[in-house]
Amino acid sequence: MKLIQKLGLVLFLGGLLAFTIIPFLGSYQLSEEIVLSQTKEIHQESMNEILNPLYGKTYQTNFTFIAELKGKIEAYNQELKDKQEWDQVIWDDYTFPLTKASVQSPVKSQPLLFLFLSIGLVVLGGLLYNIPKHQGEPEGIKNNGIFHSKMKNRGWLGMITGTYLILFYIILYWFPAYMVNAVWMVNPLSLLLSGNPASQWFLYGFIYTLAILVMGIRMFRKYRGNKYQQLRTASVMFFQTAFAFLIPEILVLLNQPYYDFKNIWPLDYDFFYDYQISTFLSNGGVGMFMLIWGILLIIIAVPLFTYFYGKRWYCSWVCGCGGLAETVGDPYRQLSDKSIKAWNIERYLIHGVLVLAVVMTLVTIANYFSSFSFLGNVTNQLHSFYGFAIGSAFAGVVGTGFYPFMGNRVWCRFGCPLAAYLGMVQRFKSRFRITTNGGQCISCGNCSTYCEMGIDVRWYAQRGQNIVRSSCVGCGVCSAVCPRGVLKLENGPEEGRINENPILIGNDSIKVNA
């Protein structure tokens, strides 16, 4: 088994190396035909004139090609801005489509071959490494040596991994033109599913889904024997694959709006944007169903399901962000900060993001129904700020790239506005709680160590106090790692759900507060 795992590790690293090298392959040649086919009609004449000096040249690297391409367009726009001819400025960013169309590389000629040699080997290697894990060992969760691991305890391997993830997200979000070769690899799959050429977002969704599936296998192996962990892992794998990846692409193939039926405002922060509302209203019955479905999720499904099951129904069973955190991020859950300082930052930050999302949405709706006479272009500026600071930088770069630095639920704990909304319902009006049996607690600290949300579970367990925290996502790992069965996830009557310090343990033995 060790030999198979070593082979898997070699294949994984080989595929990852190939994926890293692929963006730099090939050369770039721009032509008038490419410019005319990749730009809007109103910009074709100007773009053709601007980029004419690039025609016929061959660029050996994407750096030189993109630099000259952007330089010509920026110089043209700057000249217009200096003259204050704002209506003539080309605000659209054509860097990605022009670079993708101009590349001449073996990846573009044989995309499926390079897809297998990179992402395919990563997936195969991951499966060969994960499937044999814990073979022949008795059931039980193994975390042996985790605090001596260079990968899992902020060692040099973890730092390299985190840095790689951060760079990947930065390039994906803000410099996608450098990844056109990687996008070409998945082009056949995109054409098959949606009938459209692949974009960087299709590449991301494909990688995201595969990561959850492969690391979901690891969860099955690590938490075998624990039905709750097995079921919720299967659930996030299903919802990510079907609802977040396949169904939206197939909807596009059927000439329907791209829509993730499990995404809920305010996590789906652009749900009430004017272009989104217009898309729903212009697509007949299907579009109207999507609009009504999204609204019903917000005002009925969230409070109702959270009342009966706590926020775990979404955060640990459905959500794609939670799915990635629970699978790919599981090796880093012990890195979450349990200090009071971190808790205070968490409360102010996550509710601050929720307030910002609500304000932005209210302004957007008011502007939409006032035919954009209310604040005018300020709405678009607010959208841009939120999309950059929260949707991209926080949720993407920090939310995932910081797994090896701060644990696997950085976004869910400190930034997700939907988690804040669900948490308020869970804290004040829910049947969900984690009950504790303080008399059985041996203060081993496993529960607190592996709480991904930074809750000091042991503090509650020692007192026999129910855990009713708005941040708890009900992952159940605290209960799973407890050697004494002290913790239990329950949905019971609201009465007695919050029991403040029922047991005090000290020099005077045990006192029960009446």
Side-chain angles (χ1 to χ4, degrees):
M1 290 301 172
K2 292 292 184 182
L3 182 61
I4 293 176
Q5 285 188 293
K6 288 180 180 179
L7 174 62
L9 187 59
V10 169
L11 292 177
F12 176 86
L13 293 175
L16 187 62
L17 179 62
F19 181 79
T20 306
I21 293 173
I22 280 172
F24 304 102
L25 299 179
S27 60
Y28 297 81
Q29 292 179 331
L30 188 65
S31 66
E32 181 178 356
E33 292 75 14
I34 290 175
V35 172
L36 295 178
S37 65
Q38 299 298 322
T39 56
K40 296 177 181 177
E41 187 175 350
I42 58 172
H43 296 146
Q44 287 178 355
E45 184 178 348
S46 298
M47 289 292 288
N48 190 30
E49 181 181 347
I50 297 167
L51 300 177
N52 186 269
L54 278 64
Y55 296 165
K57 292 184 179 180
T58 299
Y59 298 85
Q60 297 301 326
T61 68
N62 51 9
F63 293 103
T64 55
F65 176 76
I66 293 171
E68 187 156 356
L69 178 69
K70 294 179 70 174
K72 294 293 184 183
I73 298 173
E74 288 173 0
Y76 172 81
N77 283 335
Q78 189 59 51
E79 184 178 346
L80 293 174
K81 290 176 183 178
D82 293 339
K83 296 177 182 179
Q84 296 189 353
E85 296 177 359
W86 304 104
D87 58 328
Q88 299 298 318
V89 174
I90 299 175
W91 298 105
D92 298 87
D93 187 359
Y94 291 111
T95 309
F96 176 78
L98 289 174
T99 305
K100 184 185 176 188
S102 300
V103 68
Q104 303 294 325
S105 70
V107 183
K108 187 176 181 178
S109 304
Q110 296 179 299
L112 294 179
L113 173 63
F114 283 88
L115 179 64
F116 171 75
L117 293 176
S118 57
I119 297 176
L121 288 184
V122 168
V123 171
L124 180 60
L127 291 174
L128 289 177
Y129 184 81
N130 286 323
I131 291 176
K133 285 181 75 69
H134 310 300
Q135 188 73 29
E137 297 177 1
E139 290 184 353
I141 300 167
K142 307 294 189 299
N143 286 308
N144 301 344
I146 198 167
F147 287 105
H148 299 283
S149 171
K150 296 178 178 63
M151 172 64 80
K152 302 172 184 176
N153 192 36
R154 300 189 181 98
W156 64 271
L157 276 177
M159 299 300 101
I160 291 175
T161 302
T163 303
Y164 186 93
L165 287 172
I166 290 170
L167 289 174
F168 171 75
Y169 271 88
I170 290 174
I171 295 171
L172 178 80
Y173 278 114
W174 298 303
F175 307 99
Y178 292 97
M179 299 191 68
V180 293
N181 270 323
V183 174
W184 272 111
M185 291 192 308
V186 295
N187 205 58
L189 296 178
S190 180
L191 291 172
L192 177 66
L193 290 175
S194 69
N196 291 330
S199 66
Q200 74 268 33
W201 303 121
F202 181 86
L203 171 69
Y204 178 51
F206 180 66
I207 294 174
Y208 197 105
T209 302
L210 288 178
I212 289 179
L213 293 177
V214 172
M215 292 301 284
I217 300 296
R218 174 189 175 277
M219 291 288 286
F220 286 138
R221 298 300 301 148
K222 180 178 179 180
Y223 295 94
R224 68 196 192 285
N226 189 306
K227 282 189 175 181
Y228 184 79
Q229 299 301 326
Q230 298 271 326
L231 286 173
R232 76 183 187 90
T233 300
S235 177
V236 296
M237 291 168 71
F238 167 74
F239 277 103
Q240 173 60 33
T241 304
F243 282 76
F245 184 62
L246 292 178
I247 292 176
E249 296 294 335
I250 294 172
L251 284 171
V252 174
L253 183 64
L254 300 175
N255 294 318
Q256 300 298 332
Y258 182 97
Y259 187 66
D260 181 353
F261 284 94
K262 66 172 183 55
N263 213 1
I264 307 175
W265 178 90
L267 179 60
D268 184 14
Y269 60 87
D270 62 352
F271 182 79
F272 292 105
Y273 283 11
D274 55 291
Y275 74 85
Q276 191 73 281
I277 298 295
S278 298
T279 299
F280 290 143
L281 297 178
S282 64
N283 278 272
V286 174
M288 184 58 67
F289 171 77
M290 292 176 176
L291 178 60
I292 295 173
W293 171 267
I295 294 173
L296 290 178
L297 284 178
I298 299 165
I299 63 176
I300 295 180
V302 167
L304 187 64
F305 282 104
T306 307
Y307 172 75
F308 284 106
Y309 305 109
K311 65 192 286 186
R312 59 175 169 160
W313 76 270
Y314 188 79
C315 294
S316 287
W317 287 72
V318 174
C319 179
C321 300
L324 191 73
E326 292 295 344
T327 52
V328 177
D330 180 73
Y332 306 105
R333 62 169 54 248
Q334 69 279 353
L335 300 180
S336 61
D337 191 344
K338 278 77 176 180
S339 67
I340 297 294
K341 181 180 179 181
W343 182 30
N344 288 329
I345 294 173
E346 169 193 336
R347 289 186 295 168
Y348 285 109
L349 199 54
I350 194 170
H351 294 107
V353 173
L354 175 61
V355 170
L356 179 59
V358 171
V359 170
M360 181 186 68
T361 300
L362 292 176
V363 170
T364 299
I365 294 173
N367 214 28
Y368 180 81
F369 284 104
S370 65
S371 299
F372 303 97
S373 61
F374 179 68
L375 296 179
N377 193 49
V378 173
T379 308
N380 291 331
Q381 294 175 349
L382 189 59
H383 292 174
S384 297
F385 169 76
Y386 190 94
F388 173 83
I390 308 301
S392 299
F394 203 160
V397 178
V398 175
T400 304
F402 275 46
Y403 280 0
F405 302 95
M406 296 176 63
N408 60 323
R409 286 273 190 173
V410 179
W411 163 246
C412 310
R413 182 181 177 187
F414 294 98
C416 179
L418 179 56
Y421 174 27
L422 290 161
M424 287 190 293
V425 178
Q426 174 172 277
R427 176 66 178 81
F428 297 107
K429 196 66 178 176
S430 177
R431 295 165 61 89
F432 173 72
R433 85 291 306 271
I434 299 179
T435 57
T436 61
N437 183 351
Q440 291 292 316
C441 179
I442 59 174
S443 299
C444 67
N446 280 349
C447 51
S448 293
T449 298
Y450 296 104
C451 177
E452 59 193 355
M453 298 305 292
I455 300 172
D456 187 1
V457 181
R458 179 174 59 179
W459 189 90
Y460 294 90
Q462 289 171 332
R463 292 158 177 77
Q465 184 175 343
N466 291 347
I467 301 168
V468 183
R469 287 275 290 269
S470 61
S471 58
C472 178
V473 293
C475 68
V477 170
C478 60
S479 174
V481 297
C482 178
R484 300 280 289 176
V486 172
L487 305 162
K488 185 178 180 181
L489 281 69
E490 292 188 13
N491 303 310
E494 283 191 77
E495 185 179 352
R497 176 171 171 261
I498 299 177
N499 56 339
E500 299 288 348
N501 297 324
I503 299 176
L504 297 177
I505 302 176
N507 293 331
D508 297 326
S509 187
I510 299 176
K511 293 181 179 180
V512 180
N513 288 344

